[in-house]
Structure formats: structure tokens, C-alpha cells
Amino acid sequence: MSEPTGVENDGALGLGEGHQPDTGPEPEVNSVMVRVFGRQLKCCRLRAGLERPEFASMVGYSVSTIAAYEQGRRIPPPRLIDQADEVLDAGGVLLEMKEEMEKAQYPPFFQDAARFETEAVELHVYGNQAAPGLLQTKEYAQEVFRMWRPLLEEETIEQRLAARLERQAIFARRPRPQLSFVIEEAVLHRRIGGDQAWREQLEQILLIGQERNVDVQAMPLNSGLHAGLAGPFTLMEVKDGRRIAYTEVQSDSRLHTERKRVRELEVTYGCLRAQALTPKKSLALIEKLLREG
């Protein structure tokens, strides 16, 4: 659950320079752009002759939430931007900033990975610290962010929580991407957020794991073989066939696009899947934990 980051780039994808590890609390990415969008939103609303409560009612948000968007304290979701541009007859002014707002939802080290995730036709995750973000419930994810060190500000937690839950739209995408998760059994025992949050988290993993396009496998505690001791990672294949890997270990988070490195992690993941319990046995293990919990 480290914040600092880097990007390993083969130069073909135009991802920019690698990031140097941070030495203190991370400044919020694109905070200036968020404030600029807020001012633009307010200007468009006033130009349309709408009071904040009236506009809030038209787009289905609370007055306090709209105020937070206009003041640059919260990052607006894509749906709000689409609605606002239409309702306020903004002529595409707000839509022009939609991509920047989508990027601003994520900390710097995850922005490029998040972009590829939205394009993924295959996505495979090995998790060994906590339930993978794509599988997390709201309560579980919120507690994960609260445990982060250095401490995150409440607004930052709120923004990242909303972004994490937004990513789970991948399960409703059509055509369905092929997804798989290898999760350490220890993660399934770890009661992050308390007993109730733990139960709800296991129930969510169980529910998602029953989808036809999703495989969930547990790496048993008593396994004598383990190919993933170097840490967690994610593998993605996007629509044009490119394959990308994302790794996180302590103070170093990187996006890998160089084919040799991605292939190495693909081999590692193949070994992990062979060493883990089968999807059927893994779901049975989760059911057992819930019964005994």
C-alpha cells in the first residue's frame, strides 16, 4: 500500500518520464485543474440563471456536493460532467475537462495504470496485502485508506474511495473482459475494518468469483511452492494487443511496458495460478471461512 511511484517505459506508449520516489506526503494531483473546473462549472451555472439548489435537483446531487465540486474540494465523476454540460448548455466547455478530471481521481502512481485498466480485455491480479482494489467493498476500501501512512486527509480518502469504487464498473463492461485474481489466504483471514466489514468483503469476493468471466484463486498458507514472493502485481492486455504490467513493492510502484519484463511477470503469474487452489476450491474456502467466522 505504498504511495511513491515510478514508470518503466519502453518509449512506445508516450507515458512520460518515470517518477522519483516521494519523501513526504503526496500532493494531490491536478488539484489546480480541479479548482479550475469548479470555477467553470459555477460560471456556467450562473450564466444559465440557475441557483445551486435548482441545479443540484436537476442533476440529482445534493446542494452540498455541488458546492464541493464548484469549490474544487471534490472531483466530479464523469456522469456529473456529462449532465452538467447538457443541463447548463455549456457547449462542450465542461466536457473538454472530463479527461483531466478522470485522471485527477487517482494518485500520480496509478494514473497510467488506471487508464489502461479501462481499456483492458484481460486483467490478472496477484494480491498479498489486502483484497485487490477491484474486489473491495466501500467499507473495506475506506479502512484501507485510513490505515495509509503517512496519514491521508479526509478529502483525499473520500476522493480515492470514490475513484476505487468507480473502477469496479469493469465488472459491468460489455463485452466482458477476462479477469482473474490470485489472493493470499492470509488476506482472506485479515479482518480489516472489523468482523462485519470482513464478512461483507468475503461475501463480495464470493459473489464476484461466481461470474463466468472471473476466476478467484487462493494461495494456501500451507503451500510449499510460491512464485510470487517478490510482491503483488497486475497484468493487463488492452484492445490493440499491448500487454502491460503494474507492480507495487514498498516505496516503489511502476508501470512496465517493456516486453521482456512483462513476459517475466506473465510467467510468474502462470506459476502462481498453478500453485494456488482451483477457483472451485478457493470459493469453497471462502464459504468455509464465512461459516466458521
Side-chain angles (χ1 to χ4, degrees), residues 5-23:
T5 172
V7 175
E8 181 176 296
N9 185 359
D10 64 1
L13 299 182
L15 298 178
E17 297 298 323
H19 302 288
Q20 294 299 317
D22 294 333
T23 57

